[in-house]
Amino acid sequence: MSVLLEFSMVPMDKGDSFSEYVARSLDIIDKSGVSYKLNPMGTVLEGEWDEVMQVVTDCYRKMSEDSNRVSCGIKIDAQKGKENRLKSKIKSVEKVLNRELNT
Amino acid sequence: MSVLLEFSMVPMDKGDSFSEYVARSLDIIDKSGVSYKLNPMGTVLEGEWDEVMQVVTDCYRKMSEDSNRVSCGIKIDAQKGKENRLKSKIKSVEKVLNRELNT
Amino acid sequence: MSVLLEFSMVPMDKGDSFSEYVARSLDIIDKSGVSYKLNPMGTVLEGEWDEVMQVVTDCYRKMSEDSNRVSCGIKIDAQKGKENRLKSKIKSVEKVLNRELNT
Amino acid sequence: MSVLLEFSMVPMDKGDSFSEYVARSLDIIDKSGVSYKLNPMGTVLEGEWDEVMQVVTDCYRKMSEDSNRVSCGIKIDAQKGKENRLKSKIKSVEKVLNRELNT
């Protein structure tokens, strides 16, 4: 089973600039050993359910140390019999169109 | 800490009518003992982080028994020093407007 | 076509308590004439695509008058040949389980 | 105002493999002239509100020609006084950590 999980997590009590707090999450993600790709609106993880959920939980524990209110959005696409979907999902769309897209 | 978690989980390989599968999740939620409210687009749980995440995980385990591809959206609003927000968040908006809204 | 659209919209620069701003959106929604139901994590609208999108746009115009950074999550379930799904989606799940759920 | 809008749109009645339908959306996006970046879980657009919403609407019109039930998730981060956030949001996180991340 390949679980793709995209999430973004932000503190609600730090004003409208909070890259310092997002960076702490990315540090946790980057050091977790889980495959990931950062995009402008979130981070996509790939792994087993427990593995990717643990990363989200670790980020939540850290952010809730510093913030009174934490907001988080998560989107999951879990598919059996697949792997390396961080790359293959984009490739399959490019293959249909027979051209490269902006990634 | 009050963690409000709304989620919806659907099988992607069962056609465009899947209330049978959603009902299995609601059965798990309803029997979990966790506070919840069902709406037309998802279910909102309230509890501690581990508690509400366990309910989502239990629903995922069940649905992935029957489906090759599971899609799930989760939205979290975690706030310190609050409780009973399943009711109080709506009430605080109605209080500002000084009238009842459709709920 | 019945378009169910759930959304939540918050200002990112007003601290961790912003029900005053959410109330302005609910005032717009409530006066729009579009069918809706408010829940603790968002508001579900039902109508045609242009109709529900216009309500979201109106709320955005209002909130961006007062805020430098606006965050918004939207989830859409559009289905042909259906109506009154604000009620019927919940009913169909309760029918499978043969009992009432918390709504 | 820079409106970053990430969305994913899928048909619910085409089984668990639907890259053909996603490709039609990407063709619309790619030809729209709006700045975008595709990731494994969605596409992030940047532009004015009306501009990015029009792209989503165009994709919806196309997909609802072929599908009886369309599901769509949208996440918006609109900020005044900023531009080129498709790149700058990632850069600002990398700057805090003083290293490159997987993008």
Side-chain angles (χ1 to χ4, degrees):
Chain A
M1 182 73 91
S2 154
V3 178
L4 283 179
L5 181 153
E6 182 179 22
F7 80 113
S8 58
M9 188 181 286
V10 296
M12 298 301 291
D13 54 353
K14 304 299 177 188
D16 65 347
S17 187
F18 36 76
S19 51
E20 177 191 342
Y21 299 92
V22 175
R24 294 181 194 183
S25 290
L26 264 301
D27 191 44
I28 291 170
I29 294 164
D30 194 42
K31 291 176 175 169
S32 72
V34 172
S35 297
Y36 77 93
K37 279 180 81 71
L38 173 64
N39 70 62
M41 289 294 278
T43 306
V44 185
L45 311 175
E46 184 171 19
E48 296 297 317
W49 177 274
D50 289 341
E51 195 176 23
V52 295
M53 279 299 186
Q54 188 60 52
V55 174
V56 176
T57 297
D58 291 346
C59 291
Y60 170 73
R61 300 275 185 236
K62 183 67 186 166
M63 194 172 284
S64 57
E65 285 175 11
D66 303 309
S67 171
N68 284 319
R69 191 169 187 177
V70 173
S71 178
C72 178
I74 303 173
K75 195 165 58 173
I76 293 164
D77 173 13
Q79 191 169 16
K80 289 178 186 165
K82 299 268 183 172
E83 49 183 294
N84 285 324
R85 289 197 301 152
L86 281 179
K87 287 188 180 171
S88 67
K89 279 184 73 176
I90 291 173
K91 290 290 177 203
S92 69
V93 172
E94 290 181 325
K95 195 176 168 187
V96 174
L97 294 178
N98 199 27
R99 67 179 190 274
E100 286 194 6
L101 298 164
N102 299 344
T103 57
Chain B
M1 182 74 91
S2 155
V3 178
L4 283 180
L5 181 153
E6 182 180 20
F7 80 113
S8 58
M9 189 181 284
V10 296
M12 298 301 291
D13 54 353
K14 305 297 178 191
D16 64 346
S17 186
F18 36 76
S19 52
E20 177 191 342
Y21 298 92
V22 174
R24 294 182 194 183
S25 290
L26 265 301
D27 190 45
I28 291 170
I29 295 164
D30 194 42
K31 291 176 175 168
S32 72
V34 172
S35 297
Y36 77 93
K37 280 180 80 73
L38 174 64
N39 70 62
M41 290 295 277
T43 306
V44 184
L45 311 175
E46 183 171 21
E48 296 296 319
W49 177 274
D50 289 341
E51 195 176 24
V52 295
M53 280 298 186
Q54 188 61 51
V55 174
V56 177
T57 297
D58 291 346
C59 293
Y60 170 73
R61 300 276 184 235
K62 182 68 186 166
M63 194 172 285
S64 57
E65 286 176 10
D66 302 309
S67 171
N68 284 318
R69 191 169 186 176
V70 173
S71 178
C72 178
I74 302 173
K75 195 165 58 173
I76 294 164
D77 173 12
Q79 191 169 16
K80 289 179 187 163
K82 298 270 183 170
E83 51 184 293
N84 285 324
R85 289 197 300 152
L86 282 179
K87 288 187 180 172
S88 67
K89 278 184 75 175
I90 291 173
K91 289 291 177 200
S92 70
V93 172
E94 290 180 326
K95 195 175 169 187
V96 175
L97 294 177
N98 200 28
R99 68 179 190 273
E100 287 195 5
L101 297 163
N102 299 344
T103 58
Chain C
M1 181 75 92
S2 153
V3 178
L4 283 180
L5 181 153
E6 181 181 21
F7 81 113
S8 58
M9 188 181 286
V10 297
M12 298 301 292
D13 54 353
K14 304 299 177 188
D16 65 347
S17 186
F18 36 76
S19 51
E20 177 191 343
Y21 298 92
V22 175
R24 293 182 195 182
S25 290
L26 265 302
D27 191 44
I28 290 170
I29 295 164
D30 195 41
K31 291 176 175 169
S32 71
V34 172
S35 297
Y36 78 93
K37 279 179 80 73
L38 173 64
N39 70 62
M41 290 294 276
T43 306
V44 185
L45 311 174
E46 183 172 21
E48 296 297 318
W49 177 274
D50 289 340
E51 194 176 23
V52 295
M53 280 300 186
Q54 189 60 52
V55 174
V56 177
T57 296
D58 291 346
C59 292
Y60 170 74
R61 301 276 184 234
K62 183 68 186 165
M63 195 173 284
S64 57
E65 285 176 11
D66 303 307
S67 171
N68 283 318
R69 191 169 185 175
V70 173
S71 178
C72 178
I74 303 173
K75 195 165 58 173
I76 294 164
D77 172 13
Q79 190 169 17
K80 289 179 186 164
K82 299 267 184 174
E83 49 184 295
N84 285 324
R85 289 196 301 151
L86 282 179
K87 288 188 180 171
S88 66
K89 279 184 75 177
I90 291 173
K91 289 291 177 202
S92 69
V93 172
E94 290 181 326
K95 195 176 169 187
V96 174
L97 294 177
N98 199 28
R99 67 181 191 272
E100 286 194 6
L101 297 164
N102 298 345
T103 57
Chain D
M1 181 74 92
S2 154
V3 178
L4 282 179
L5 180 152
E6 182 180 20
F7 81 112
S8 58
M9 189 182 285
V10 296
M12 297 302 291
D13 54 353
K14 305 298 177 188
D16 65 346
S17 186
F18 35 77
S19 51
E20 176 190 344
Y21 298 92
V22 175
R24 294 182 195 183
S25 290
L26 265 301
D27 191 45
I28 290 170
I29 295 164
D30 194 42
K31 291 176 175 168
S32 72
V34 172
S35 297
Y36 77 93
K37 280 180 80 71
L38 174 65
N39 71 62
M41 290 294 276
T43 306
V44 185
L45 310 174
E46 183 172 20
E48 295 296 318
W49 177 274
D50 290 340
E51 194 176 24
V52 295
M53 278 301 185
Q54 188 60 52
V55 174
V56 176
T57 297
D58 291 345
C59 292
Y60 170 73
R61 300 274 184 236
K62 182 69 186 165
M63 194 172 285
S64 57
E65 286 176 11
D66 303 308
S67 171
N68 284 317
R69 192 169 185 176
V70 173
S71 178
C72 178
I74 303 173
K75 195 165 58 173
I76 293 164
D77 172 12
Q79 191 169 16
K80 288 178 188 165
K82 299 268 184 173
E83 50 183 295
N84 285 325
R85 290 197 302 151
L86 283 179
K87 288 188 180 171
S88 66
K89 280 184 75 177
I90 291 173
K91 290 291 176 202
S92 69
V93 172
E94 291 181 324
K95 195 176 169 187
V96 175
L97 294 177
N98 199 27
R99 67 180 191 273
E100 286 196 3
L101 297 164
N102 299 344
T103 58

